[in-house]
Amino acid sequence: MPPYSSYVAEAYSSCQEQQKELLDKRRKAGDEHDTKLLFCSSSTRVSQAVPLDSSSSSSPTFWKGAIVVGAGPAGLATAACLELKGVPCLIVEKSDGIASLWKHNTYNRLHLHIPKQFCELPHLPFPEDFPTYPNRQQFVDYLDKYAARFDLHFRFNEKVIAAAFDTAAGYWKITTMHCNHNNTVLESSGDRGGVLSEFRARWLVVASGENAEAVCPVIPGARHFKGAVVHSSQYKTGADYKGRNVLVVGAGNSGMEIALDLSNFNARPSLVVRSPVHILPREVFGKSTFAVAMKLVKNFPLWFADCFLVWYTWALMGDTSSYGLHRPAQGPMTLKLKFGKTPVLDVGTFAKVKNGDIKVVPAIDHLTSDGAQFTDGQVQQFDAIILATGYRSNVPQWLHDKSNFFSEEGFPRNSSAEAWKGETGLYVAGLGRKGILGAAFDAQNIAQDISQLFFAAELESHNRVQPVPQQHQHQQFR
């Protein structure tokens, strides 16, 4: 296994390459379109590589308990469970506060797509007066209250660039660079670039999230398009697009809801549907579709659950394929449980598709200066493009784990119930593609396991026989 210092050096080199790519995109886009496509680029910036032995690297911080990477719901839940069991926990977060995705990178009309009881974190229920489907601000308020309730410990504005287990020493080394609230590397007082910090701990919990980085596809002709191109993480409200032709790329839950929001604000949205998608009503017989699906999977074969959900959807919504929304060959629960692909829970988008307020279009062939040509040959004009193309895990960029626990996509290779635990003190929360509910279970399992190891080590240290001082030995054996 390469020395840890080489990982840190490699991380700096990667940051420099990302910065070069960003500058190249700006030059290609031209000064007059400086904001185009920038949201699809890495926001990491390093002005100059920092020598590994420079003064910009502080002395290592030894943490007695566990270090958690990420201050989203999974990280908060894990830290709270650990603290309640008496295990010291430090959360390292790249942004300037908790739940940065929910606070800064979600649209205004967002609500939880499943009932609140399935989105609670351990040891703190939602307020009773919250609706069944809390809105974005209510969920953010809940997370803020959660962090304050358990008096959690944080190191904000610290972007993890490398982490590896030191076999000889028996602990994890975690190296960070100091960033501002935009995840931009801060400059030191000199000219040596970002400031390094190193943390060391026996246990490392990866809770950086499934949505750590925006995914932006390379679209042919993008450099020629004169309008704005933004990722859904930068979209806030359809009011900003009133009266404009907007192309939404991506037919997941975010893309569907953004198209609905645009239509509600009198924009003219078109929705790119590139592949088959399961669209289900949010409720079945007045009950949450999620809750019904979970009961079906628990009590019946998977094929029966799939058939029931598709049948009910067909009975309620009709043949969605006649509107360009074709269903996959495999059922919605099969795709979710085996591949982590979440079906769309309709909150009103399909009605807008049926009445023509939202147009469904096929995949993009290429962009033009004022619009797009699609794979079926049709050409349309657009004023803006919103990429609702999802997110990805960033774990492979910084975690160096020789046990091969993670896949190249940044998820545990083992999708079983034990996917929360790796080797050599490595744990994972919220990366099982099972939503907030899955993250809550991960947190409780991790806390239980680490606490047993933590107190076993404490007991061993306490019971270790100390040498008897020389002056007392004669008295003791007289």
Side-chain angles (χ1 to χ4, degrees), residues 352-369:
K352 292 274 190 177
V353 171
K354 291 177 69 174
N355 68 23
D357 288 343
I358 298 174
K359 296 181 179 180
V360 174
V361 294
I364 299 171
D365 182 79
H366 66 273
L367 297 181
T368 64
S369 62

Side-chain angles (χ1 to χ4, degrees), residues 44-55:
T44 304
R45 182 174 64 87
V46 178
S47 62
Q48 182 177 340
V50 182
L52 297 180
D53 58 350
S54 74
S55 59

Side-chain angles (χ1 to χ4, degrees), residues 25-139:
K25 285 183 178 180
R26 283 178 171 169
R27 283 193 290 268
K28 290 178 181 178
D31 293 339
E32 68 275 17
H33 305 301
D34 192 48
T35 60
K36 283 182 52 188
L37 298 176
L38 297 186
F39 296 129
C40 302
S41 307
S42 170
S43 57
T44 304
R45 182 174 64 87
V46 178
S47 62
Q48 182 177 340
V50 182
L52 297 180
D53 58 350
S54 74
S55 59
S56 64
S57 180
S58 58
S59 299
T61 298
F62 291 85
W63 191 259
K64 187 176 183 180
I67 287 182
V68 176
V69 179
L76 297 177
T78 304
C81 290
L82 284 167
E83 291 285 354
L84 286 175
K85 287 187 173 296
V87 180
C89 182
L90 176 66
I91 302 177
V92 179
E93 166 61 37
K94 65 183 179 181
S95 69
D96 61 349
I98 71 166
S100 61
L101 180 69
W102 284 89
K103 290 182 177 180
H104 307 302
N105 300 112
T106 52
Y107 42 93
N108 295 348
R109 69 153 285 142
L110 178 64
H111 288 66
L112 295 180
H113 289 153
I114 60 178
K116 60 183 179 181
Q117 64 265 31
F118 299 108
C119 299
E120 291 177 348
L121 301 187
H123 310 296
L124 184 65
F126 279 101
E128 292 184 2
D129 60 348
F130 271 29
T132 302
Y133 302 97
N135 62 36
R136 166 185 168 273
Q137 189 56 53
Q138 288 171 324
F139 188 59

